[in-house]
Amino acid sequence: MKSAKLSGETGSETRVAILESGEEAFATLTKFANDAGITAASLTAIGAFEMATVGWFDFEKKTYKKIEVAEQCEVLSAIGDIAVGDDGKASLHVHVVLGLADGTTRGGHLLEGKVRPTLEVVIADTAAHLRRKKKPDLGIALIDIAKGKA
């Protein structure tokens, strides 16, 4: 992965991260956010995966139903945010729409995506802190505005 600062001052920056073939997108972006000390940001991305796994959240089971996309696909749209999780580390929440060769799409929460040939990600972080807190009644972690102010 290569990255560059596009604009802004420390704590309120816009960055671009370019992922390369073979990199796993979710893990690579999480590592980048942790290394850069990002505590609150939005992100958008386009590119392609050679394979991906997206998830659909099943409220009854309180878990993600995995949807495997075992073929080359275009990342038509990826949008998400970065906050700090219960463990104090970067917590990504990214939704994607993936385009297949026949023109159909798959979408959901990005769980995994192996990049091929590239993924171009724009990350806009702020000086604020967002905290993602596990909600046991839902089975997922959501941004907690009150916790993020500290």
Side-chain angles (χ1 to χ4, degrees):
M1 182 192 83
K2 298 175 184 162
S3 66
K5 177 178 162 182
L6 298 178
S7 66
E9 300 300 319
T10 300
S12 183
E13 300 173 341
T14 300
R15 310 163 196 248
V16 63
I18 308 298
L19 282 67
E20 299 173 355
S21 284
E23 292 185 290
E24 197 290 304
F26 198 87
T28 301
L29 291 171
T30 299
K31 181 179 182 329
F32 175 75
N34 279 311
D35 291 350
I38 297 172
T39 61
S42 62
L43 66 84
T44 57
I46 57 171
F49 295 140
E50 70 177 85
M51 61 74 56
T53 304
V54 297
W56 177 82
F57 191 73
D58 184 331
F59 282 100
E60 300 284 324
K61 296 179 180 176
K62 294 185 171 70
T63 189
Y64 288 100
K65 175 187 174 195
K66 291 184 178 180
I67 302 164
E68 303 291 333
V69 181
E71 62 185 274
Q72 181 72 26
C73 53
E74 297 285 333
V75 178
L76 302 175
S77 176
I79 186 167
D81 58 49
I82 302 170
V84 175
D86 287 335
D87 60 1
K89 296 182 180 177
S91 171
L92 273 67
H93 183 191
V94 181
H95 289 206
V96 294
V97 177
L98 305 175
L100 306 182
D102 64 0
T104 62
T105 59
R106 299 286 186 276
H109 294 263
L110 178 63
L111 302 176
E112 179 183 9
K114 189 171 180 184
V115 175
R116 183 172 69 187
T118 190
L119 186 69
E120 302 165 347
V121 186
V122 176
I123 302 163
D125 61 310
T126 68
H129 298 279
L130 288 178
R131 175 72 189 271
R132 198 175 314 281
K133 184 92 177 121
K134 180 81 171 195
K135 303 289 183 186
D137 59 323
L138 296 176
I140 55 177
L142 301 174
I143 290 177
D144 184 334
I145 298 290
K147 295 282 185 189
K149 293 178 181 177

